[in-house]
Amino acid sequence: MLAPRDSRSRDCRRLDGLWRFRFDTGGEGTAGRWWQEPLPGAREMAVPASYNDLVTEAAEREHVGDVWYQRDVRVPATWQDRRIVLRCDAATHHGTVWAGDTQVAEHAGGYTPFEAEVTDLVRGGELLRVTVRVGSELSMATIPPGVASRTAAGRTRLRYFHDFFNYAGLHRSVWLYSTPRSHIADLALGTGYDPGTAAGQVTYHLDVAGAGPTSVLLRDAAGAVVAGGAGPDGVLAVPQARPWSPGDPYLYRLDARHGDDEYSLPVGVRTVQVDGARLLLNGEPVRLRGFGMHEDGVLHGKGHDDARMVRDFALLRWIGANSFRTSHYPYAEEVLDYADRQGLLVIDEAPAVGLHLSLGNMGDPGARTFGPGVIGEEAAAAHLAAVRELITRDRNHASVIAWSIANEPDTAEAAARDYFAPLAAAARELDPSRPVCFANVATAPPDADVVTDLFDLVCVNRYYGWYADPGDLESAEADLEAELRAWARHGKPIVVTEFGADALAGLHALPPVMWSEDYQTALIAMSARVFRRIPEVIGEHVWNFADFATAQAVHRPGGNHKGVFTRDRQPKAAAWLLRDLWTRPSSE
Ligand code: GCB
């Protein structure tokens, strides 16, 4: 699905700001047809943002169920005779949209966009009432999964199997935009690059609607045309191409045209390949240095925030990171656009987290995960839809170098194989040009995991020195090395997609003890030493970039403190160690 972008033929209005808002505690909104009139009893709420940290009542912060957002928008008078589309970038986790009195869209999945054409429901120059019902509930049929129950006080309580807080609301922009009636509906790009001859290639496929000639032009960063083609499919040759890379994130621009419609996209010409245990970018081995991140911050919660994004990328650059994982869901498209321009390599993850019903503090010992009544056919269908939406949204980003289709599923359970085989195949079919992976959990070590051979990279999350060997870095070092050497037998590139320790900012201890900044630093230093002894380990992503909010739990003092930066984005001691490690000339 194409992101809204202005062009000579397209006009996009972001509907950010204050919306009328109401909790639907009693679940009466739908029966009461709250979309039909100005939302009764409404307060105001910021969009985009999670609503949870903008309220003062515990019951509202923890609300599970529906909330309603509504605002009026004036449809520009100049949009007469145009195609008009209403779009939500993210409604977490379930969104239903009305244009005036008419329901126009419904979407499950909290981190990917959905839209509906509303041309026949609006009139240029008139006000349009837009209402969005957003549901925060999760179930065994949703991705991620959860289990709702009733409290004695009659409230809905949600249990989920991931630690980050279940923020909800309109987390990204809502848009009203217009295009010509004949228009470009979608666009898929692929790129090739031969480092020997510097010959580059851009393949394109346009989905178009309505009559009109179709053509494309590829321009360099200065605007000069370097190649062109006619028709909805083609291959553009770029002799002497300037490839996209973290050190030189050079972007061409593809201008697509169908009839009167124009749509332009930045294009980074680059290749990603797995060659044995090496990951190659433009034919050269690349080492990933960076973090698992979260879209998380004070007040906004999971709401997209350009200011936070700019700070986060400034810190990534400062510390010498070249990559991150969109743990544990697709991030705002603005983040990937920025990663393209900043030259960050991204492992792009589907929102499939918590598919492990017996895990640690969150699960039940011995619980089965995959099968009827638990993560069964409905969840598999939702998971497939989530993978499809992730890939079709993000496939044109140079920064995206791999698809992660899940985080820490229970892949020691035999049934995981039948669950994951079709998903891995679907991801590969949707995009044969990028490696497909998932982040392996500690309870599925090499001798127990049943799915790793289905994937291109071995991605492992390991907490030696924290959940395993707590407080004992000597044992941790030996155990981490032994396990990674066992993974190396797959002969595939290994990315340690999580390792780290909680550290309460300001807590120091000599000798280092758990929860201190010094222990976090020592654990990261130990892990980095191990990684450098094993050639197959080609990536290290510390968990986490910054402290983040979690569900309330006895082991989470004010959230998860594994951040190398605090939640307000200031460095802990480990940040200086990583900066030293990652900015040394030899760190490539
Ligand atoms: C993990 C999860 C991550 C958690 C982390 C932790 O393995 O993938 O979502 O936040 O551990 O700190 O427990």
Side-chain angles (χ1 to χ4, degrees):
M1 185 186 292
L2 292 180
R5 287 175 192 271
D6 280 329
S7 73
R8 259 191 300 223
S9 63
R10 292 181 170 231
D11 194 357
C12 304
R13 306 284 159 109
R14 248 187 226 268
L15 308 183
D16 291 1
L18 294 182
W19 287 52
R20 298 192 284 277
F21 175 85
R22 184 169 168 184
F23 286 98
D24 193 356
T25 317
E28 319 138 43
T30 307
R33 305 171 83 80
W34 282 359
W35 61 88
Q36 278 191 332
E37 54 184 334
L39 197 55
R43 67 178 92 176
E44 289 185 283
M45 185 53 70
V47 175
S50 303
Y51 56 77
N52 311 77
D53 289 348
L54 304 180
V55 297
T56 53
E57 301 303 313
E60 292 180 344
R61 178 176 192 270
E62 306 286 334
H63 170 75
V64 178
D66 292 342
V67 298
W68 294 71
Y69 291 81
Q70 190 183 69
R71 65 165 281 175
D72 300 323
V73 51
R74 186 161 305 277
V75 181
T78 50
W79 287 8
Q80 220 56 272
D81 301 325
R82 292 171 61 79
R83 170 180 166 263
I84 301 177
V85 179
L86 185 55
R87 166 179 164 125
C88 255
D89 282 350
T92 314
H93 297 281
H94 195 280
T96 311
V97 180
W98 287 263
D101 289 346
T102 310
Q103 182 182 321
V104 293
E106 179 151 27
H107 180 259
Y111 306 95
T112 38
F114 56 101
E115 63 181 27
E117 184 175 338
V118 295
T119 312
D120 297 337
L121 300 170
V122 306
R123 290 240 304 277
E126 300 292 303
L127 279 179
L128 170 68
R129 192 176 58 250
V130 177
T131 309
V132 187
R133 183 183 66 202
V134 182
S136 65
E137 198 168 318
L138 299 169
S139 73
M140 282 298 152
T142 61
I143 293 292
V147 180
S149 60
R150 298 295 275 180
T151 66
R155 291 191 191 284
T156 307
R157 179 163 52 199
L158 188 65
R159 176 177 183 206
Y160 41 97
F161 306 91
H162 53 269
D163 72 336
F164 58 94
F165 183 67
N166 188 43
Y167 280 116
L170 289 175
H171 281 155
R172 299 172 193 159
S173 293
V174 179
W175 301 79
L176 193 68
Y177 71 90
S178 72
T179 74
R181 300 263 176 161
S182 280
H183 64 276
I184 300 163
D186 211 346
L187 180 49
L189 301 179
T191 66
Y193 177 71
D194 178 345
T197 61
Q201 213 179 52
V202 176
T203 59
Y204 65 92
H205 170 79
L206 273 77
D207 283 340
V208 295
T214 309
S215 62
V216 300
L217 286 179
L218 188 73
R219 296 176 186 276
D220 66 16
V225 174
V226 294
D233 296 283
V235 182
L236 306 175
V238 192
Q240 295 305 307
R242 182 162 160 189
W244 182 98
S245 69
D248 181 22
Y250 186 83
L251 292 168
Y252 293 84
R253 196 180 85 210
L254 186 93
D255 293 337
R257 215 188 158 106
H258 176 70
D260 293 332
D261 193 19
E262 293 180 18
Y263 191 87
S264 296
L265 260 189
V267 190
V269 173
R270 56 112 190 88
T271 58
V272 183
Q273 287 157 300
V274 170
D275 173 33
R278 301 186 310 163
L279 180 65
L280 306 180
L281 184 75
N282 302 325
E284 295 287 324
V286 64
R287 275 190 81 84
L288 305 180
R289 318 179 297 265
F291 299 93
M293 297 183 74
H294 261 304
E295 290 190 311
D296 173 275
V298 288
L299 297 180
H300 289 75
K302 290 208 165 319
H304 174 70
D305 175 1
D306 278 339
R308 192 180 69 222
M309 177 180 78
V310 167
R311 173 72 176 171
D312 286 359
F313 275 69
L315 294 176
L316 289 169
R317 178 173 296 268
W318 173 84
I319 207 167
N322 67 358
S323 60
F324 63 90
R325 177 169 60 122
T326 71
S327 38
H328 296 306
Y329 36 82
Y331 289 2
E333 285 174 83
E334 288 86 342
V335 177
L336 296 177
D337 286 337
Y338 200 38
D340 289 343
R341 295 196 296 275
Q342 293 283 313
L344 269 295
L345 304 169
V346 179
I347 299 178
D348 204 2
E349 189 157 275
V353 56
L355 276 60
H356 193 329
L357 305 186
S358 63
L359 185 62
N361 296 302
M362 295 166 299
D364 295 320
R368 211 168 34 89
T369 294
F370 297 103
V374 272
I375 309 290
E377 279 173 23
E378 273 185 294
H383 196 158
L384 180 62
V387 168
R388 184 178 301 118
E389 289 180 25
L390 168 77
I391 295 178
T392 52
R393 192 195 70 162
D394 293 347
R395 61 191 168 193
N396 296 332
H397 289 280
S399 55
V400 174
I401 54 155
W403 306 112
S404 165
I405 66 168
N407 181 70
E408 300 199 344
D410 185 357
T411 53
E413 200 174 287
R417 191 162 178 95
D418 285 347
Y419 181 89
F420 276 103
L423 288 171
R428 223 174 253 118
E429 194 181 320
L430 284 159
D431 180 10
S433 78
R434 290 177 177 89
V436 179
C437 61
F438 77 102
N440 167 287
V441 65
T443 59
D447 55 351
D449 175 273
V450 296
V451 304
T452 293
D453 60 299
L454 302 170
F455 294 87
D456 304 307
L457 307 173
V458 176
C459 296
V460 293
N461 297 349
R462 287 300 178 272
Y463 287 94
Y464 287 104
W466 191 257
Y467 296 121
D469 303 321
D472 176 2
L473 292 181
E474 218 169 57
S475 304
E477 181 156 2
D479 291 341
L480 174 61
E481 179 157 358
E483 187 177 347
L484 290 175
R485 289 204 184 278
W487 283 115
R489 287 186 212 123
H490 279 275
K492 296 181 180 180
I494 300 174
V495 183
V496 183
T497 31
E498 291 183 21
F499 64 103
D502 285 86
L504 297 174
L507 184 66
H508 287 279
L510 183 69
V513 296
M514 292 175 75
W515 294 94
S516 67
E517 291 194 32
D518 313 274
Y519 188 83
Q520 183 189 43
T521 307
L523 185 149
I524 291 172
M526 174 279 286
S527 307
R529 274 198 308 275
V530 172
F531 304 155
R532 280 154 186 69
R533 293 200 286 264
I534 303 172
E536 290 82 359
V537 175
I538 58 90
E540 55 197 28
H541 279 179
V542 180
W543 189 259
N544 186 285
F545 172 74
D547 293 349
F548 60 90
T550 62
Q552 299 181 57
V554 285
H555 62 294
R556 299 292 189 212
N560 187 311
H561 289 269
K562 294 194 184 69
V564 162
F565 295 96
T566 58
R567 201 172 185 223
D568 60 359
R569 274 48 179 183
Q570 297 301 335
K572 297 184 195 170
W576 297 94
L577 165 87
L578 287 167
R579 181 170 198 255
D580 182 47
L581 196 65
W582 287 347
T583 56
R584 265 187 231 146
S586 61
S587 63
E588 285 291 340

